[in-house]
């Protein structure tokens, strides 16, 4: 990667990668599924959010303490306990020690996302690498926190549903035939709902392997579809429109926008270029549409804060905060605060959802099992009473 930097206009330069020439605002986008949210600039073999955040935090401390870059990375290499991490740091240290830029050394490892590399390149060119590293630390900490919260929120209902299905399948496949034998021993036959349930269980038992294969194929097809741009866009639109995820997804998307804008602005980029980069980073279709409209308003002469309010990016007190911050020149600080606030709201909403889902799933399981058992026990008790 080669960079020709003009001190007057940093953001207009181009760079070459893989034999192709791009604007500095070009971002390689790749859908990350963490279920519900993704970072589009993360490659499949990159480090995790938490690992990247830890690396950026250490680099920020090293740069702010006055230790040279090569010496600091050498210290990190010596302190690393994980063999893979030590190998990555050794490779970075070797390149930095011979005078290579940090972003080049990181890119060579293939373990860091292109978005991070681009920001580090800008930080080195502007002499604000320590601030960029600190901003990247906060950015990836929030990404990890949101991803972790969502994984937990999604995993719990899935585990509960899996347990419900297991209990119900065992009941209709193993238990119902026993009741059928009891009925036959008493000279009666199952009829109506109990018979339908038992027949369904028999079908599951006979075609269990086929059903598992079909489910596996559907799961693989979903993963493949999600990995494509069209599939990821379709999934994002579904999450935006589905009534159970619409409000939560909107908060997450707004928080990611505020977090990315805070990072861009803190790195010394102007609002136009910041919006351009965030537009390529954000995966949410509605947010991308709002950013595009905001860019059009800026081109027509509307100021940044009014554009954000006009397109509905922020509303209420948040819109007022953005307006005041624009006038006082503290947009990066207010975007940072908004990102934190959205993260808190997201966590609170997810916790509320979990508190509702947990008893609801238990109640549903109890009702289903109770209905199945009662549909068998009541006729059985009637037969035994008649015999008695």
């Amino acid at each position: 990667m080669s960079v020709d930097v003009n001190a007057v206009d940093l953001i207009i330069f181009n760079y070459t990668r893989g034999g192709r020439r791009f604007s500095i605002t070009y971002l390689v986008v790749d859908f990350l599924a963490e279920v519900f949210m993704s970072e589009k600039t993360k490659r499949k073999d990159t480090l995790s959010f938490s690992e990247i955040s830890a690396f950026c935090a250490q680099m920020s401390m090293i740069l702010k303490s006055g230790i040279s870059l090569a010496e600091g990375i050498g210290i990190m290499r010596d302190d690393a306990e994980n063999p893979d991490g030590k190998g990555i740091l050794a490779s970075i240290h070797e390149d930095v020690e011979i005078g290579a830029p940090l972003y080049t050394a990181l890119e060579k490892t293939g373990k860091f996302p292109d978005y991070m590399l681009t920001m580090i390149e800008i930080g080195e060119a502007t002499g604000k690498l320590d601030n960029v590293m600190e901003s990247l630390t906060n950015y990836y900490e929030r990404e990890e926190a949101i991803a972790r919260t969502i994984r937990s929120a999604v995993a719990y209902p899935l585990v509960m549903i899996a347990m419900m299905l297991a209990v119900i399948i065992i009941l209709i496949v193993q238990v119902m035939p026993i009741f059928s034998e009891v009925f036959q021993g008493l000279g009666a036959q199952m009829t109506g709902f109990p018979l339908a349930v038992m027949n369904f269980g028999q079908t599951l038992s006979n075609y269990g392997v086929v059903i598992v294969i079909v489910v596996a194929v559907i799961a693989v097809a979903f993963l493949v579809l999600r990995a494509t741009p069209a599939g990821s866009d379709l999934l994002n639109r579904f999450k935006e429109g589905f009534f159970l995820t619409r409000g939560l997804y909107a908060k997450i998307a707004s928080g990611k926008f505020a977090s990315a804008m805070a990072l861009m602005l803190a790195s010394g980029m102007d609002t136009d270029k910041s919006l351009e980069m965030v537009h390529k980073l954000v995966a949410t279709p509605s947010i991308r549409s709002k950013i595009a409209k905001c860019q059009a308003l800026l081109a027509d002469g509307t100021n940044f804060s009014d554009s954000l309010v006009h397109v509905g990016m922020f509303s209420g007190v948040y819109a007022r905060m953005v307006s005041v911050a624009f006038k006082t020149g503290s947009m990066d600080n207010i975007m940072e605060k908004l990102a934190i606030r959205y993260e808190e709201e997201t966590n609170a909403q997810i916790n509320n959802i979990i508190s509702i889902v947990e008893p609801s799933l238990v109640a549903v399981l109890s009702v289903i099992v109770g209905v199945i058992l009662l549909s068998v026990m009541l006729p059985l008790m009637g037969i035994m009473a008649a015999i008695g």
Side-chain angles (χ1 to χ4, degrees):
M1 185 187 295
S2 60
V3 179
D4 180 19
V5 179
N6 185 306
V8 178
D9 191 358
L10 168 69
I11 310 302
I12 299 181
F13 65 85
N14 295 327
Y15 69 91
T16 301
R17 176 176 291 178
R20 298 177 62 190
R21 192 169 181 81
F22 301 99
S23 164
I24 187 60
T25 55
Y26 176 83
L27 295 175
V28 176
V29 292
D30 185 22
F31 185 76
L32 172 74
E34 49 71 341
V35 184
F36 283 96
M37 285 302 298
S38 63
E39 183 196 1
K40 294 180 70 177
T41 55
K42 188 171 181 180
R43 300 169 182 157
K44 293 180 180 179
D45 58 346
T46 54
L47 300 174
S48 66
F49 287 142
S50 58
E51 291 169 332
I52 294 175
S53 175
F55 174 82
C56 292
Q58 292 183 68
M59 288 301 304
S60 176
M61 288 189 293
I62 288 171
L63 294 170
K64 290 180 181 296
S65 66
I67 300 175
S68 68
L69 195 59
E71 183 181 357
I73 295 175
I75 295 172
M76 292 169 61
R77 177 203 58 196
D78 296 338
D79 291 342
E81 298 179 358
N82 183 282
D84 293 334
K86 187 180 287 291
I88 293 172
L89 290 170
S91 174
I92 296 171
H93 179 261
E94 180 179 346
D95 290 333
V96 171
E97 200 170 31
I98 61 176
L102 178 61
Y103 73 85
T104 302
L106 296 180
E107 182 184 34
K108 184 178 177 181
T109 66
K111 297 295 182 179
F112 296 89
D114 288 328
Y115 171 66
M116 175 183 175
L117 297 176
T118 300
M119 296 309 300
I120 291 176
E121 181 180 12
I122 293 173
E124 287 187 292
T126 57
K128 297 182 178 180
L129 184 58
D130 54 344
N131 294 331
V132 169
M133 281 297 183
E134 185 177 4
S135 298
L136 285 171
T137 300
N138 297 332
Y139 176 80
Y140 284 107
E141 281 179 351
R142 278 193 292 271
E143 292 293 291
E144 171 63 21
I146 292 174
R148 184 171 56 249
T149 301
I150 295 174
R151 284 195 300 267
S152 300
V154 173
Y156 179 79
L158 289 179
V159 171
M160 289 292 294
I161 292 172
M163 292 176 62
M164 288 173 57
L165 291 175
V167 170
I168 294 171
I169 289 174
I170 292 173
L171 182 62
I172 63 179
V173 172
Q174 299 293 332
V175 178
M176 292 299 287
I178 296 176
F179 279 106
S180 178
E181 294 176 1
V182 173
F183 271 84
Q184 292 176 3
L186 295 174
Q189 294 290 331
M190 278 189 176
T191 59
F193 180 72
L195 180 62
V197 171
M198 191 180 70
N199 291 337
F200 177 67
Q202 187 65 38
T203 302
L204 287 180
S205 179
N206 293 337
Y207 299 98
V209 175
V210 176
I211 294 172
V212 170
I213 292 175
V214 171
V215 171
V217 170
I218 293 174
V220 171
F222 172 77
L223 293 175
V224 172
L225 177 65
R226 190 179 62 179
T228 64
S232 65
D233 185 66
L234 180 63
L235 182 61
N236 285 328
R237 292 186 183 281
F238 170 77
K239 291 180 291 187
E240 280 192 288
F242 188 52
F243 72 99
L244 290 178
T245 59
R246 184 167 51 235
L248 176 62
Y249 195 63
K251 283 188 174 64
I252 294 174
S254 296
K256 286 179 69 67
F257 171 81
S259 180
M261 283 299 299
L263 176 56
M264 304 296 178
L265 295 172
S267 302
M269 302 181 73
D270 61 26
T271 53
D272 290 340
K273 295 301 179 182
S274 296
L275 279 175
E276 185 179 349
M277 292 193 71
V278 174
H279 183 268
K280 296 178 181 180
L281 173 67
V282 174
T284 312
S286 64
I287 296 295
R288 291 172 61 86
S289 176
K290 289 179 180 179
I291 293 175
K293 293 178 182 177
C294 188
Q295 289 174 311
L297 290 173
L298 288 174
D300 291 337
T302 308
N303 67 51
F304 181 62
S305 62
D306 290 343
S307 299
L308 291 178
V309 174
H310 186 270
V311 301
M313 188 70 72
F314 303 111
S315 60
V317 66
Y318 291 171
R320 181 60 179 166
M321 291 168 64
V322 170
S323 179
V324 173
F326 180 77
K327 295 175 182 177
T328 58
S330 56
M331 283 296 295
D332 55 338
N333 293 329
I334 203 62
M335 286 294 178
E336 181 82 11
K337 292 179 180 178
L338 288 179
I340 295 173
R341 181 58 182 167
Y342 275 117
E343 180 185 345
E344 293 172 349
E345 291 182 1
T346 298
N347 292 336
Q349 186 167 347
I350 289 175
N351 290 332
N352 289 336
I353 293 174
I354 292 176
S355 66
I356 295 174
V357 168
E358 178 179 0
S360 299
L361 289 177
V362 172
V364 169
L365 175 61
S366 301
V367 169
I368 293 175
V369 173
V371 168
I372 294 175
L373 291 179
L374 285 176
S375 68
V376 177
M377 294 300 296
L378 290 178
L380 182 61
M381 291 174 63
I383 295 173
M384 296 182 67
I387 295 177

